[in-house]
Amino acid sequence: SAPSSRRSSELHRRLASAFWFLVPFVALAVIWVVVVEATGVESRIFPQITEVAAAFADMWSSGDLALHVGASLRRVLIGSVVAVVTAIPFGIALGASRVASVFFSPLLRFSVALAGIAWIPLATLWLGFGDRAVIFIVWNAMFFALTYNAMLGVQQIPTELLRAARSMGASRPRMFAEVLLPGAMPAIVTGLRVGLGYGWRGMVAAEIIATNAGIGYSIFLAQRFFRTDIIITGMVIIGVLWLVTDRLLLAPLERRTVERWGMKAVIL
């Protein structure tokens, strides 16, 4: 039947997409094994892939993996929620005011370059060492990207639509909820995808300095004991977690939002 054929076609498409997504990583793993074996490099300089797998298994069985990954994900989640709650209304408010957007645009573009990692010394001075400093860095790294994209999203809403809503007597809350927020949503979702990448990198860097748990901290601790297998394990975990988050959550969310509401903006 036609529905069955469509489901089969969709399944084949997804399997093909997953296959070509994994091919570069398989190729990288093969190159890794061959090069390390051929050069005979010491494991303390660069370990074989089997040693990294063994380090991962040890972290899993000891509970260290759950401890560090759990701490990192908790900080990213809290920082991301705070960034969304504070940045989106502010960005929409800026986009709705031509004077405010002109005034704040240079400041926002300037702040994007400094967001995240550059703030770590101040974060530790203000908030001490621990979760609060790392959460602040995640929020800081995401806030400016989200704000700027929300502002751009509002500016892309057709002027005729805004005038029509005002002429019909739409109140400010209704204007925000039914016109500005939906109209800016494609740009906001793109800003979320970009900003979360900034926040993720900022979190790892902050954990190296400001905490005693987390993926970044585990990498820093391994460096002190020349455990390159654990360092690379941590790097792989960071990359895998981001790929899973981006591919399974952020990319589909952006695609569906753009398909529903149209335009999107990418922060520069």
Side-chain angles (χ1 to χ4, degrees):
S1 63
S4 176
S5 177
R6 285 196 296 269
R7 286 195 297 270
S8 177
S9 176
E10 178 65 16
L11 177 61
H12 282 100
R13 187 190 66 79
R14 292 188 177 186
L15 289 175
S17 176
F19 173 78
W20 289 112
F21 180 81
L22 293 174
V23 162
F25 296 100
V26 174
L28 178 62
V30 171
I31 293 171
W32 181 351
V33 171
V34 171
V35 170
V36 172
E37 188 68 25
T39 59
V41 62
E42 295 182 17
S43 60
R44 63 177 294 178
I45 303 299
F46 200 90
Q48 185 56 275
I49 194 170
T50 52
E51 296 174 292
V52 173
F56 178 86
D58 289 342
M59 292 179 69
W60 178 280
S61 60
S62 68
D64 287 345
L65 183 64
L67 170 68
H68 294 307
V69 171
S72 295
L73 292 179
R74 184 183 70 252
R75 293 161 185 155
V76 167
L77 178 61
I78 296 173
S80 300
V81 170
V82 176
V84 167
V85 170
T86 55
I88 292 177
F90 183 52
I92 290 177
L94 293 183
S97 170
R98 187 173 184 279
V99 174
S101 62
V102 169
F103 179 81
F104 279 98
S105 288
L107 296 176
L108 290 174
R109 296 178 70 88
F110 172 81
S111 298
V112 167
L114 299 176
I117 296 174
W119 283 83
I120 293 176
L122 284 177
T124 54
L125 286 175
W126 293 342
L127 302 172
F129 293 89
D131 284 356
R132 292 188 301 171
V134 180
I135 291 170
F136 171 82
I137 292 300
V138 174
W139 169 84
N140 181 279
M142 295 183 62
F143 177 82
F144 299 104
L146 268 173
T147 299
Y148 191 71
N149 262 39
M151 182 185 71
L152 292 180
V154 172
Q155 292 173 345
Q156 291 179 355
I157 298 174
T159 305
E160 295 78 10
L161 180 61
L162 298 175
R163 288 175 178 170
R166 294 191 185 102
S167 67
M168 296 176 65
S171 63
R172 288 188 178 182
R174 290 195 65 185
M175 180 71 93
F176 176 87
E178 298 180 16
V179 179
L180 300 180
L181 181 60
M185 189 58 70
I188 290 172
V189 174
T190 301
L192 177 63
R193 190 178 183 186
V194 174
L196 192 56
Y198 292 160
W200 188 256
R201 292 193 294 270
M203 179 272 298
V204 173
E207 285 182 341
I208 292 176
I209 298 174
T211 65
N212 59 1
I215 303 173
Y217 174 76
S218 69
I219 292 174
F220 171 71
L221 191 64
Q223 183 267 341
R224 295 177 60 184
F225 295 98
F226 300 97
R227 291 294 305 274
T228 52
D229 54 343
I230 296 179
I231 293 173
I232 295 179
T233 299
M235 294 168 62
V236 171
I237 291 171
I238 291 168
V240 168
L241 287 176
W242 172 249
L243 279 177
V244 169
T245 302
D246 186 67
R247 186 170 177 84
L248 298 185
L249 177 62
L250 298 178
L253 178 62
E254 182 184 48
R255 183 172 58 252
R256 291 171 186 170
T257 304
V258 171
E259 288 172 355
R260 180 172 181 180
W261 280 298
M263 299 174 293
K264 68 176 181 177
V266 178
I267 189 169
L268 299 178

